[in-house]
């Protein structure tokens, strides 16, 4: 379930895409604190990134889905960003759904996507 994400880390080892910051391999353990306060056990999740509005992007270790959380308090599930990591990349990092979690259409990354 995590093979696509692991491949991303091998190729990019983290990256910033406008309002989306994906952590490098070395940062993963340092950013684990962002999941404290989740109702479900944090061992089921990997905090793979954040948004500029400080929302948590987490990968479910068991099914590979990517989710968005408000760090809180209170900790709150905001939605599913993809059934797997590649869907998340395609829809939210490189696709039109980027606007759903970005700083709006004035965002530089959105302008790149729009003109691409």
């Amino acid at each position: 379930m995590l093979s696509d994400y692991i491949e991303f880390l091998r190729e990019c080892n983290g990256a910033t895409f406008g309002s989306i910051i994906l952590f490098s391999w070395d940062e993963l353990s340092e950013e684990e604190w962002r999941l404290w306060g989740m109702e479900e056990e944090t061992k089921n999740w990997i905090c793979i990134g954040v948004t500029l509005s400080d929302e948590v992007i987490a990968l479910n270790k068991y099914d590979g889905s990517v989710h968005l959380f408000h760090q809180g308090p209170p900790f709150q599930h905001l939605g599913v960003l993809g059934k797997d990591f590649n869907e998340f990349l395609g829809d939210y990092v490189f696709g039109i759904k980027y606007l759903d979690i970005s700083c709006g259409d004035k965002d530089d990354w959105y302008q790149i996507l729009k003109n691409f």
Side-chain angles (χ1 to χ4, degrees):
M1 293 296 175
L2 303 179
S3 61
D4 294 332
Y5 177 63
I6 292 168
E7 185 62 29
F8 169 81
L9 286 176
R10 283 188 187 128
E11 294 293 323
C12 297
N13 199 24
T16 299
F17 303 98
S19 297
I20 299 172
I21 301 164
L22 298 177
F23 301 134
S24 68
W25 178 258
D26 294 335
E27 293 172 306
L28 290 177
S29 62
E30 297 169 12
E31 299 296 337
E32 190 176 322
W33 65 270
R34 294 179 183 277
L35 297 175
W36 295 347
M38 289 182 70
E39 291 179 14
E40 297 181 49
E41 293 183 48
T42 57
K43 68 180 181 177
N44 297 339
W45 298 90
I46 302 169
C47 179
I48 63 171
V50 293
T51 66
L52 286 183
S53 54
D54 214 27
E55 296 161 329
V56 175
I57 301 170
L59 181 77
N60 184 297
K61 292 179 184 179
Y62 296 105
D63 67 11
S65 60
V66 179
H67 298 252
L68 187 66
F69 294 93
H70 173 71
Q71 195 168 321
F75 208 87
Q76 179 183 8
H77 185 260
L78 299 175
V80 178
L81 301 180
K83 68 179 186 286
D84 57 39
F85 186 73
N86 281 341
E87 184 176 291
F88 162 69
L89 286 179
D91 290 349
Y92 288 91
V93 174
F94 297 111
I96 194 65
K97 290 184 179 180
Y98 173 76
L99 276 177
D100 295 348
I101 57 175
S102 76
C103 296
D105 62 356
K106 303 285 187 221
D107 181 290
D108 290 339
W109 182 248
Y110 173 72
Q111 293 303 316
I112 291 170
L113 294 174
K114 185 173 127 181
N115 295 318
F116 187 58

